[in-house]
Amino acid sequence: MKISPNAIEHGVKLLADPLRNKGTAFTEVERDALGLRGLLPPHIHTQDEQMSRFLEHMRKLPDALEKFVALSALHDRNEALFFRVVCDHVDEIMPLIYTPTVGLACQRFGHIFQRPRGMFISINDRGRIADILRNWPRKAGIIVVTDGERILGLGDQGANGMGIPVGKLSLYTACAGIDPAICLPITLDMGTNNEGLLADPYYVGLRRRRVTGSAYDELVDEFITAAREVFPDVIIQFEDFANHNAFRLLEKYRNKICTFNDDIQGTAAVALAGVLSALRVKGTTLSDEKFLFLGAGEAATGIADLIVAAMEAQGIATEEARQHCWLVDSKGLVVKSREGLAAQKQPYAHDHAGVADFLSAVNTLKPTAIIGVAAVGGTFTPEVLRAMADINARPIVFALSNPTSKAECTAEEAYVGTDGRALFACGSPFAPVPFQGKTLVPRQGNNAYIFPGVGLGAIACGATRITDEMFLAAAQTLADYVTPADLDQGALLPPLTNIREVSAHIAVAVAEVAFERGLASRSRPENMLELVKAHVYDPHYPAYI
Ligand code: NAD
């Protein structure tokens, strides 16, 4: 990026603009031309040196939350350096800017607050949302929006939920190279029912209980209309809405605008990729498996729906495919005779006697795979794991609930509880586990493998819709990146270190589907990968002069 010195009124403004600031890395020529002389100490550091300085400081901080605060401050003053730090140390930094640390950061949001990022729109803003969005200084290409009602597995965090859209958009840039200048995090403050927050003097949101019903729907509708009016091609990603709204909103908007819900669809794709890897180890196909989910919410039914879609793509009838997926919710096994089941659970309510608890469901149904997405910690007990090991030579065990305190079991518990035979993936990061002379590597079923590439593909081709077929293509692409060496050490997903390459190929797969289905607004390029790469942001500093 070359910018004219005339475009900058004074060097101080440049230093205060996180999208352009380079701090002590401004060159001699830039310092003279851009009015920076004297505003910086004389020695010029390279970006690599700045990165080492930051990491040295950050690594000495006593805990993850302090590190989160330091990273946020860096993000606020120098985005390129922040993204160099994240991209070059993705394994170390991702758990600090996203799960599990971001959960704690949301709970403490008001207490660690330094400066706002993104936009807050509240229920008091009815009738003026388009005007508010015009306060944003740039054109937004992708919005991540939450109403804070179901933050990770931590429940209602109200306006403090802003940590999630901010973190998620950082991952869009870090993992796929989406330009941070087009990213807009938004929190819809609909109130909160979290009594602790309502009583907290430092809480950043409205002091009122959540609005529901038509007042809620009208605000969301005005927001969607306004966002499309102010930023016509914007992609809107719904994030961490409670499931009574998440499914409704997805159904309402998915065929009208370019939108998706990562909790439902992104989770589904990463879990399916893990399942496809497990099948390679077992030498089976999807129709040989029986999946039992603990939880019947966004993640569970999203994953089940995509498993069904994958089976349909293999020529299996929908009804037959659904028979391979079973759900256990807080009231026990989801069966046909249960009344008042939410719409998303009904396809999986099979003709079967009721079963009250998860262990009994395992013993009764004899699943080949258990997938934990109920956000209740410790529910894959030693008895559950033992039962799975007795039923299966290689039980598939995915403990996907977040944050770590909500995980159904740890990696070590999964391996020890199944004599090292579990094909395991987790929602929170766990360290490799030494087991009987081998080191087993549990990889995180992190949505960050999927949504950044989906977003990049959608941006590159100007997608008008984001479909389940695109998520299926993303899952298959991700699974293709798992090597025999990964499988040999028990890893069902690729390492995060080559995530940008994976994301670029997911973007290609998504764009291919868009072009094939007439859902792309650009003309088809000769080389899809080149098109995708042309949209990738490089966090190395540009020369301004
Ligand atoms: P959700 O609120 O939509 O669903 C939770 C479900 O769990 C509900 O169906 C509820 O009935 C059920 N449940 C609650 N208590 C239960 C109990 N004691 N026994 C059985 N079922 C119970 O939430 P969600 O979006 O589906 O997310 C669930 C969890 O999965 C969260 O911890 C979330 O962080 C995690 N998650 C992980 C990933 C990932 O690892 N990639 C992705 C998405 C969600």
Side-chain angles (χ1 to χ4, degrees), residues 309-368:
M311 290 173 80
E312 286 172 327
Q314 293 168 0
I316 295 163
T318 311
E319 255 325 300
E320 192 190 329
R322 285 175 176 164
Q323 294 294 328
H324 291 258
C325 296
W326 294 74
L327 312 174
V328 171
D329 66 10
S330 52
K331 298 190 179 112
L333 189 64
V334 172
V335 289
K336 213 167 214 159
S337 55
R338 275 181 49 182
E339 280 173 13
L341 280 175
Q344 73 274 8
K345 299 182 193 178
Q346 287 171 16
Y348 306 103
H350 303 306
D351 225 345
H352 194 281
V355 179
D357 66 279
F358 191 65
L359 179 59
S360 307
V362 170
N363 285 323
T364 309
L365 294 170
K366 306 209 180 312
T368 58

Short mmCIF file of all heavy atoms in Angstrom, two decimals, residues 309-368:
data_model
loop_
_atom_site.label_atom_id
_atom_site.label_comp_id
_atom_site.label_asym_id
_atom_site.label_seq_id
_atom_site.Cartn_x
_atom_site.Cartn_y
_atom_site.Cartn_z
N ALA A 309 -26.38 -34.88 5.51
CA ALA A 309 -26.15 -34.34 4.16
C ALA A 309 -25.01 -35.10 3.47
O ALA A 309 -25.08 -35.38 2.26
CB ALA A 309 -25.82 -32.85 4.23
N ALA A 310 -23.97 -35.45 4.24
CA ALA A 310 -22.84 -36.19 3.64
C ALA A 310 -23.30 -37.58 3.21
O ALA A 310 -22.89 -38.08 2.16
CB ALA A 310 -21.70 -36.29 4.65
N MET A 311 -24.16 -38.21 4.00
CA MET A 311 -24.66 -39.53 3.63
C MET A 311 -25.58 -39.43 2.41
O MET A 311 -25.52 -40.28 1.51
CB MET A 311 -25.38 -40.19 4.82
CG MET A 311 -24.40 -40.57 5.92
SD MET A 311 -25.19 -41.16 7.42
CE MET A 311 -25.55 -42.82 6.98
N GLU A 312 -26.37 -38.37 2.37
CA GLU A 312 -27.25 -38.16 1.19
C GLU A 312 -26.39 -38.01 -0.07
O GLU A 312 -26.73 -38.56 -1.12
CB GLU A 312 -28.10 -36.91 1.38
CG GLU A 312 -29.24 -37.10 2.38
CD GLU A 312 -29.94 -35.77 2.68
OE1 GLU A 312 -29.28 -34.71 2.67
OE2 GLU A 312 -31.14 -35.81 2.91
N ALA A 313 -25.28 -37.29 0.09
CA ALA A 313 -24.40 -37.10 -1.08
C ALA A 313 -23.82 -38.44 -1.54
O ALA A 313 -23.39 -38.57 -2.69
CB ALA A 313 -23.28 -36.12 -0.73
N GLN A 314 -23.81 -39.44 -0.63
CA GLN A 314 -23.34 -40.78 -1.02
C GLN A 314 -24.50 -41.66 -1.51
O GLN A 314 -24.35 -42.87 -1.66
CB GLN A 314 -22.66 -41.46 0.17
CG GLN A 314 -21.37 -40.77 0.59
CD GLN A 314 -20.84 -41.26 1.94
OE1 GLN A 314 -21.43 -42.11 2.59
NE2 GLN A 314 -19.70 -40.70 2.35
N GLY A 315 -25.67 -41.04 -1.66
CA GLY A 315 -26.80 -41.78 -2.23
C GLY A 315 -27.71 -42.44 -1.20
O GLY A 315 -28.58 -43.24 -1.55
N ILE A 316 -27.52 -42.11 0.07
CA ILE A 316 -28.36 -42.73 1.11
C ILE A 316 -29.60 -41.85 1.33
O ILE A 316 -29.48 -40.61 1.38
CB ILE A 316 -27.55 -42.89 2.41
CG1 ILE A 316 -26.40 -43.89 2.14
CG2 ILE A 316 -28.40 -43.36 3.58
CD1 ILE A 316 -25.30 -43.87 3.14
N ALA A 317 -30.74 -42.46 1.48
CA ALA A 317 -31.98 -41.70 1.66
C ALA A 317 -31.96 -40.95 2.99
O ALA A 317 -31.40 -41.44 3.98
CB ALA A 317 -33.18 -42.65 1.61
N THR A 318 -32.62 -39.78 3.01
CA THR A 318 -32.59 -38.91 4.19
C THR A 318 -33.03 -39.66 5.45
O THR A 318 -32.35 -39.61 6.49
CB THR A 318 -33.52 -37.69 3.97
OG1 THR A 318 -33.21 -37.14 2.71
CG2 THR A 318 -33.36 -36.66 5.06
N GLU A 319 -34.16 -40.33 5.37
CA GLU A 319 -34.70 -41.00 6.56
C GLU A 319 -33.74 -42.05 7.09
O GLU A 319 -33.52 -42.17 8.30
CB GLU A 319 -36.06 -41.64 6.22
CG GLU A 319 -37.24 -40.89 6.77
CD GLU A 319 -36.99 -40.24 8.13
OE1 GLU A 319 -36.68 -40.98 9.08
OE2 GLU A 319 -37.07 -39.01 8.25
N GLU A 320 -33.15 -42.78 6.15
CA GLU A 320 -32.21 -43.82 6.56
C GLU A 320 -30.97 -43.18 7.21
O GLU A 320 -30.48 -43.64 8.25
CB GLU A 320 -31.81 -44.64 5.33
CG GLU A 320 -31.06 -45.92 5.71
CD GLU A 320 -30.46 -46.60 4.48
OE1 GLU A 320 -31.03 -46.48 3.38
OE2 GLU A 320 -29.40 -47.24 4.66
N ALA A 321 -30.49 -42.10 6.62
CA ALA A 321 -29.31 -41.41 7.16
C ALA A 321 -29.57 -40.91 8.58
O ALA A 321 -28.72 -41.03 9.47
CB ALA A 321 -28.92 -40.26 6.24
N ARG A 322 -30.77 -40.39 8.80
CA ARG A 322 -31.10 -39.85 10.13
C ARG A 322 -31.08 -40.93 11.21
O ARG A 322 -30.84 -40.66 12.39
CB ARG A 322 -32.46 -39.17 10.10
CG ARG A 322 -32.41 -37.82 9.40
CD ARG A 322 -33.79 -37.23 9.28
NE ARG A 322 -33.75 -35.91 8.69
CZ ARG A 322 -34.81 -35.29 8.19
NH1 ARG A 322 -36.00 -35.87 8.21
NH2 ARG A 322 -34.69 -34.09 7.68
N GLN A 323 -31.38 -42.17 10.81
CA GLN A 323 -31.39 -43.28 11.78
C GLN A 323 -30.00 -43.51 12.39
O GLN A 323 -29.86 -44.21 13.39
CB GLN A 323 -31.87 -44.58 11.11
CG GLN A 323 -33.31 -44.56 10.66
CD GLN A 323 -34.28 -44.47 11.82
OE1 GLN A 323 -34.01 -44.98 12.92
NE2 GLN A 323 -35.41 -43.81 11.60
N HIS A 324 -28.97 -42.93 11.76
CA HIS A 324 -27.60 -43.12 12.27
C HIS A 324 -27.25 -42.08 13.34
O HIS A 324 -26.15 -42.13 13.89
CB HIS A 324 -26.59 -43.04 11.11
CG HIS A 324 -26.69 -44.21 10.18
ND1 HIS A 324 -25.81 -45.26 10.21
CD2 HIS A 324 -27.60 -44.50 9.23
CE1 HIS A 324 -26.16 -46.15 9.30
NE2 HIS A 324 -27.25 -45.71 8.68
N CYS A 325 -28.14 -41.14 13.60
CA CYS A 325 -27.85 -40.07 14.57
C CYS A 325 -28.89 -40.06 15.69
O CYS A 325 -30.10 -40.01 15.41
CB CYS A 325 -27.85 -38.70 13.87
SG CYS A 325 -26.55 -38.53 12.64
N TRP A 326 -28.43 -40.07 16.92
CA TRP A 326 -29.30 -40.07 18.10
C TRP A 326 -28.86 -38.95 19.03
O TRP A 326 -27.65 -38.68 19.14
CB TRP A 326 -29.20 -41.42 18.83
CG TRP A 326 -29.72 -42.57 18.03
CD1 TRP A 326 -29.11 -43.17 16.96
CD2 TRP A 326 -30.96 -43.27 18.24
NE1 TRP A 326 -29.90 -44.19 16.49
CE2 TRP A 326 -31.04 -44.28 17.25
CE3 TRP A 326 -32.00 -43.14 19.16
CZ2 TRP A 326 -32.11 -45.16 17.16
CZ3 TRP A 326 -33.07 -44.02 19.07
CH2 TRP A 326 -33.14 -45.01 18.08
N LEU A 327 -29.83 -38.35 19.71
CA LEU A 327 -29.51 -37.23 20.60
C LEU A 327 -29.96 -37.51 22.03
O LEU A 327 -31.03 -38.09 22.25
CB LEU A 327 -30.26 -35.96 20.16
CG LEU A 327 -30.22 -35.55 18.69
CD1 LEU A 327 -31.14 -34.35 18.46
CD2 LEU A 327 -28.81 -35.20 18.27
N VAL A 328 -29.13 -37.08 22.98
CA VAL A 328 -29.55 -37.08 24.39
C VAL A 328 -29.50 -35.62 24.85
O VAL A 328 -28.47 -34.95 24.69
CB VAL A 328 -28.59 -37.92 25.27
CG1 VAL A 328 -28.90 -37.72 26.76
CG2 VAL A 328 -28.69 -39.40 24.92
N ASP A 329 -30.62 -35.12 25.35
CA ASP A 329 -30.60 -33.76 25.90
C ASP A 329 -30.79 -33.81 27.41
O ASP A 329 -30.68 -34.88 28.03
CB ASP A 329 -31.61 -32.85 25.19
CG ASP A 329 -33.06 -33.28 25.44
OD1 ASP A 329 -33.28 -34.16 26.30
OD2 ASP A 329 -33.96 -32.74 24.77
N SER A 330 -31.09 -32.67 28.02
CA SER A 330 -31.17 -32.64 29.49
C SER A 330 -32.31 -33.50 30.02
O SER A 330 -32.35 -33.82 31.21
CB SER A 330 -31.30 -31.19 29.97
OG SER A 330 -32.37 -30.58 29.29
N LYS A 331 -33.24 -33.89 29.15
CA LYS A 331 -34.36 -34.74 29.60
C LYS A 331 -34.18 -36.20 29.22
O LYS A 331 -35.09 -37.01 29.37
CB LYS A 331 -35.67 -34.21 29.01
CG LYS A 331 -35.98 -32.80 29.49
CD LYS A 331 -37.39 -32.39 29.10
CE LYS A 331 -37.68 -30.99 29.61
NZ LYS A 331 -37.83 -30.02 28.53
N GLY A 332 -33.03 -36.55 28.67
CA GLY A 332 -32.78 -37.95 28.29
C GLY A 332 -32.78 -38.13 26.79
O GLY A 332 -32.63 -37.15 26.03
N LEU A 333 -32.91 -39.40 26.36
CA LEU A 333 -32.86 -39.70 24.93
C LEU A 333 -34.02 -39.00 24.21
O LEU A 333 -35.16 -39.01 24.70
CB LEU A 333 -32.95 -41.22 24.73
CG LEU A 333 -32.69 -41.74 23.32
CD1 LEU A 333 -31.26 -41.46 22.86
CD2 LEU A 333 -32.98 -43.25 23.24
N VAL A 334 -33.70 -38.40 23.07
CA VAL A 334 -34.74 -37.74 22.27
C VAL A 334 -35.45 -38.84 21.47
O VAL A 334 -34.84 -39.46 20.59
CB VAL A 334 -34.09 -36.69 21.33
CG1 VAL A 334 -35.12 -36.14 20.34
CG2 VAL A 334 -33.49 -35.56 22.16
N VAL A 335 -36.71 -39.09 21.83
CA VAL A 335 -37.48 -40.14 21.15
C VAL A 335 -38.82 -39.57 20.69
O VAL A 335 -39.24 -38.51 21.16
CB VAL A 335 -37.71 -41.38 22.07
CG1 VAL A 335 -36.41 -42.13 22.30
CG2 VAL A 335 -38.34 -40.96 23.39
N LYS A 336 -39.45 -40.33 19.80
CA LYS A 336 -40.67 -39.86 19.14
C LYS A 336 -41.78 -39.52 20.13
O LYS A 336 -42.54 -38.57 19.94
CB LYS A 336 -41.16 -40.93 18.16
CG LYS A 336 -41.83 -40.35 16.96
CD LYS A 336 -42.02 -41.40 15.88
CE LYS A 336 -41.89 -40.76 14.52
NZ LYS A 336 -41.57 -41.71 13.48
N SER A 337 -41.87 -40.31 21.21
CA SER A 337 -43.00 -40.14 22.13
C SER A 337 -42.88 -38.87 22.99
O SER A 337 -43.82 -38.50 23.67
CB SER A 337 -43.10 -41.36 23.04
OG SER A 337 -41.86 -41.56 23.68
N ARG A 338 -41.72 -38.21 22.93
CA ARG A 338 -41.59 -37.00 23.75
C ARG A 338 -42.36 -35.84 23.14
O ARG A 338 -42.29 -35.61 21.94
CB ARG A 338 -40.11 -36.63 23.92
CG ARG A 338 -39.48 -37.41 25.08
CD ARG A 338 -38.05 -37.08 25.29
NE ARG A 338 -37.78 -35.65 25.34
CZ ARG A 338 -36.55 -35.16 25.48
NH1 ARG A 338 -35.52 -35.97 25.59
NH2 ARG A 338 -36.37 -33.87 25.51
N GLU A 339 -43.05 -35.10 24.00
CA GLU A 339 -43.87 -34.01 23.48
C GLU A 339 -43.13 -32.68 23.51
O GLU A 339 -42.22 -32.50 24.32
CB GLU A 339 -45.16 -33.91 24.30
CG GLU A 339 -46.15 -34.95 23.84
CD GLU A 339 -47.38 -35.03 24.71
OE1 GLU A 339 -47.59 -34.11 25.52
OE2 GLU A 339 -48.12 -36.01 24.56
N GLY A 340 -43.52 -31.79 22.63
CA GLY A 340 -42.99 -30.42 22.65
C GLY A 340 -41.53 -30.31 22.26
O GLY A 340 -40.84 -29.38 22.69
N LEU A 341 -41.06 -31.26 21.43
CA LEU A 341 -39.64 -31.20 21.03
C LEU A 341 -39.40 -30.02 20.08
O LEU A 341 -40.21 -29.77 19.18
CB LEU A 341 -39.25 -32.49 20.31
CG LEU A 341 -38.94 -33.71 21.17
CD1 LEU A 341 -38.70 -34.92 20.27
CD2 LEU A 341 -37.73 -33.48 22.07
N ALA A 342 -38.27 -29.33 20.27
CA ALA A 342 -37.93 -28.23 19.36
C ALA A 342 -37.78 -28.77 17.94
O ALA A 342 -37.38 -29.93 17.75
CB ALA A 342 -36.63 -27.57 19.82
N ALA A 343 -38.06 -27.90 16.95
CA ALA A 343 -38.09 -28.34 15.55
C ALA A 343 -36.79 -29.02 15.12
O ALA A 343 -36.81 -30.02 14.42
CB ALA A 343 -38.37 -27.14 14.65
N GLN A 344 -35.64 -28.48 15.59
CA GLN A 344 -34.37 -29.03 15.11
C GLN A 344 -34.08 -30.44 15.64
O GLN A 344 -33.27 -31.17 15.10
CB GLN A 344 -33.20 -28.07 15.43
CG GLN A 344 -32.79 -27.99 16.87
CD GLN A 344 -33.60 -26.98 17.69
OE1 GLN A 344 -34.59 -26.44 17.21
NE2 GLN A 344 -33.19 -26.77 18.92
N LYS A 345 -34.79 -30.81 16.74
CA LYS A 345 -34.55 -32.16 17.31
C LYS A 345 -35.44 -33.21 16.64
O LYS A 345 -35.13 -34.40 16.67
CB LYS A 345 -34.86 -32.17 18.81
CG LYS A 345 -34.00 -31.21 19.62
CD LYS A 345 -34.34 -31.32 21.12
CE LYS A 345 -33.73 -30.17 21.90
NZ LYS A 345 -34.05 -30.19 23.33
N GLN A 346 -36.57 -32.76 16.07
CA GLN A 346 -37.58 -33.71 15.60
C GLN A 346 -37.08 -34.73 14.57
O GLN A 346 -37.43 -35.91 14.67
CB GLN A 346 -38.80 -32.96 15.09
CG GLN A 346 -39.60 -32.38 16.25
CD GLN A 346 -40.71 -31.44 15.82
OE1 GLN A 346 -41.09 -31.42 14.66
NE2 GLN A 346 -41.22 -30.67 16.76
N PRO A 347 -36.19 -34.34 13.64
CA PRO A 347 -35.74 -35.36 12.67
C PRO A 347 -35.00 -36.52 13.35
O PRO A 347 -34.86 -37.58 12.76
CB PRO A 347 -34.77 -34.58 11.77
CG PRO A 347 -35.12 -33.15 11.95
CD PRO A 347 -35.66 -33.01 13.33
N TYR A 348 -34.51 -36.30 14.57
CA TYR A 348 -33.72 -37.33 15.25
C TYR A 348 -34.49 -37.98 16.39
O TYR A 348 -33.91 -38.71 17.21
CB TYR A 348 -32.39 -36.72 15.74
CG TYR A 348 -31.68 -36.06 14.57
CD1 TYR A 348 -31.69 -34.67 14.40
CD2 TYR A 348 -31.09 -36.85 13.58
CE1 TYR A 348 -31.08 -34.09 13.29
CE2 TYR A 348 -30.49 -36.27 12.47
CZ TYR A 348 -30.50 -34.89 12.33
OH TYR A 348 -29.92 -34.32 11.22
N ALA A 349 -35.78 -37.70 16.46
CA ALA A 349 -36.63 -38.32 17.50
C ALA A 349 -37.13 -39.65 16.93
O ALA A 349 -38.12 -39.70 16.20
CB ALA A 349 -37.79 -37.38 17.82
N HIS A 350 -36.41 -40.72 17.24
CA HIS A 350 -36.71 -42.02 16.64
C HIS A 350 -37.72 -42.79 17.49
O HIS A 350 -37.96 -42.46 18.65
CB HIS A 350 -35.42 -42.83 16.46
CG HIS A 350 -34.39 -42.11 15.64
ND1 HIS A 350 -34.65 -41.62 14.39
CD2 HIS A 350 -33.10 -41.76 15.92
CE1 HIS A 350 -33.56 -41.02 13.92
NE2 HIS A 350 -32.60 -41.08 14.84
N ASP A 351 -38.24 -43.83 16.86
CA ASP A 351 -39.19 -44.71 17.54
C ASP A 351 -38.43 -45.60 18.51
O ASP A 351 -37.82 -46.60 18.09
CB ASP A 351 -39.85 -45.59 16.46
CG ASP A 351 -41.33 -45.65 16.68
OD1 ASP A 351 -41.76 -45.27 17.79
OD2 ASP A 351 -42.04 -46.08 15.74
N HIS A 352 -38.40 -45.25 19.76
CA HIS A 352 -37.60 -46.00 20.74
C HIS A 352 -38.13 -45.66 22.12
O HIS A 352 -38.65 -44.55 22.33
CB HIS A 352 -36.12 -45.58 20.62
CG HIS A 352 -35.17 -46.51 21.32
ND1 HIS A 352 -34.97 -46.49 22.68
CD2 HIS A 352 -34.36 -47.49 20.84
CE1 HIS A 352 -34.08 -47.42 23.00
NE2 HIS A 352 -33.70 -48.04 21.90
N ALA A 353 -37.96 -46.59 23.05
CA ALA A 353 -38.37 -46.29 24.42
C ALA A 353 -37.49 -45.18 25.00
O ALA A 353 -36.34 -45.03 24.59
CB ALA A 353 -38.23 -47.56 25.27
N GLY A 354 -38.05 -44.42 25.93
CA GLY A 354 -37.28 -43.36 26.57
C GLY A 354 -36.09 -43.93 27.37
O GLY A 354 -36.17 -45.04 27.89
N VAL A 355 -35.00 -43.19 27.40
CA VAL A 355 -33.83 -43.58 28.22
C VAL A 355 -33.42 -42.33 28.99
O VAL A 355 -33.26 -41.26 28.41
CB VAL A 355 -32.66 -44.08 27.34
CG1 VAL A 355 -31.46 -44.45 28.19
CG2 VAL A 355 -33.08 -45.25 26.47
N ALA A 356 -33.24 -42.48 30.30
CA ALA A 356 -33.11 -41.29 31.13
C ALA A 356 -31.72 -40.66 31.10
O ALA A 356 -31.59 -39.44 31.14
CB ALA A 356 -33.49 -41.63 32.57
N ASP A 357 -30.66 -41.47 31.04
CA ASP A 357 -29.33 -40.88 31.19
C ASP A 357 -28.38 -41.36 30.10
O ASP A 357 -28.65 -42.34 29.40
CB ASP A 357 -28.77 -41.20 32.57
CG ASP A 357 -28.52 -42.68 32.72
OD1 ASP A 357 -29.49 -43.43 33.01
OD2 ASP A 357 -27.39 -43.12 32.50
N PHE A 358 -27.25 -40.69 30.00
CA PHE A 358 -26.34 -40.92 28.87
C PHE A 358 -25.71 -42.32 28.92
O PHE A 358 -25.64 -43.00 27.90
CB PHE A 358 -25.26 -39.83 28.86
CG PHE A 358 -24.45 -39.84 27.59
CD1 PHE A 358 -25.04 -39.55 26.37
CD2 PHE A 358 -23.10 -40.14 27.61
CE1 PHE A 358 -24.30 -39.57 25.19
CE2 PHE A 358 -22.34 -40.16 26.44
CZ PHE A 358 -22.95 -39.87 25.23
N LEU A 359 -25.28 -42.74 30.11
CA LEU A 359 -24.65 -44.07 30.21
C LEU A 359 -25.63 -45.16 29.77
O LEU A 359 -25.26 -46.07 29.01
CB LEU A 359 -24.15 -44.33 31.64
CG LEU A 359 -23.50 -45.70 31.88
CD1 LEU A 359 -22.29 -45.92 30.96
CD2 LEU A 359 -23.07 -45.86 33.34
N SER A 360 -26.88 -45.04 30.22
CA SER A 360 -27.88 -46.04 29.80
C SER A 360 -28.09 -45.97 28.30
O SER A 360 -28.27 -47.01 27.64
CB SER A 360 -29.22 -45.80 30.50
OG SER A 360 -29.03 -45.73 31.88
N ALA A 361 -28.06 -44.76 27.74
CA ALA A 361 -28.24 -44.63 26.29
C ALA A 361 -27.09 -45.31 25.55
O ALA A 361 -27.29 -45.98 24.54
CB ALA A 361 -28.34 -43.15 25.90
N VAL A 362 -25.87 -45.15 26.07
CA VAL A 362 -24.71 -45.82 25.44
C VAL A 362 -24.91 -47.33 25.50
O VAL A 362 -24.75 -48.04 24.49
CB VAL A 362 -23.39 -45.41 26.16
CG1 VAL A 362 -22.23 -46.29 25.69
CG2 VAL A 362 -23.09 -43.94 25.90
N ASN A 363 -25.29 -47.83 26.67
CA ASN A 363 -25.45 -49.28 26.82
C ASN A 363 -26.61 -49.83 25.99
O ASN A 363 -26.55 -50.95 25.49
CB ASN A 363 -25.64 -49.64 28.30
CG ASN A 363 -24.32 -49.54 29.05
OD1 ASN A 363 -23.26 -49.86 28.50
ND2 ASN A 363 -24.35 -49.04 30.29
N THR A 364 -27.65 -49.02 25.81
CA THR A 364 -28.82 -49.48 25.05
C THR A 364 -28.58 -49.42 23.54
O THR A 364 -28.85 -50.37 22.82
CB THR A 364 -30.05 -48.60 25.38
OG1 THR A 364 -30.17 -48.54 26.78
CG2 THR A 364 -31.32 -49.15 24.77
N LEU A 365 -28.04 -48.26 23.08
CA LEU A 365 -27.93 -48.06 21.63
C LEU A 365 -26.63 -48.61 21.03
O LEU A 365 -26.53 -48.81 19.84
CB LEU A 365 -28.02 -46.56 21.30
CG LEU A 365 -29.37 -45.92 21.61
CD1 LEU A 365 -29.28 -44.40 21.49
CD2 LEU A 365 -30.43 -46.44 20.65
N LYS A 366 -25.62 -48.80 21.88
CA LYS A 366 -24.30 -49.28 21.45
C LYS A 366 -23.76 -48.46 20.27
O LYS A 366 -23.53 -48.98 19.16
CB LYS A 366 -24.36 -50.76 21.09
CG LYS A 366 -24.93 -51.61 22.23
CD LYS A 366 -24.39 -53.00 22.24
CE LYS A 366 -24.96 -53.84 23.38
NZ LYS A 366 -24.94 -53.22 24.71
N PRO A 367 -23.54 -47.16 20.50
CA PRO A 367 -23.04 -46.31 19.43
C PRO A 367 -21.58 -46.62 19.10
O PRO A 367 -20.85 -47.18 19.93
CB PRO A 367 -23.15 -44.90 20.02
CG PRO A 367 -23.04 -45.11 21.50
CD PRO A 367 -23.69 -46.44 21.77
N THR A 368 -21.17 -46.23 17.88
CA THR A 368 -19.75 -46.32 17.53
C THR A 368 -19.04 -45.00 17.82
O THR A 368 -17.83 -44.95 17.87
CB THR A 368 -19.59 -46.63 16.04
OG1 THR A 368 -20.25 -45.60 15.29
CG2 THR A 368 -20.21 -47.99 15.69
#
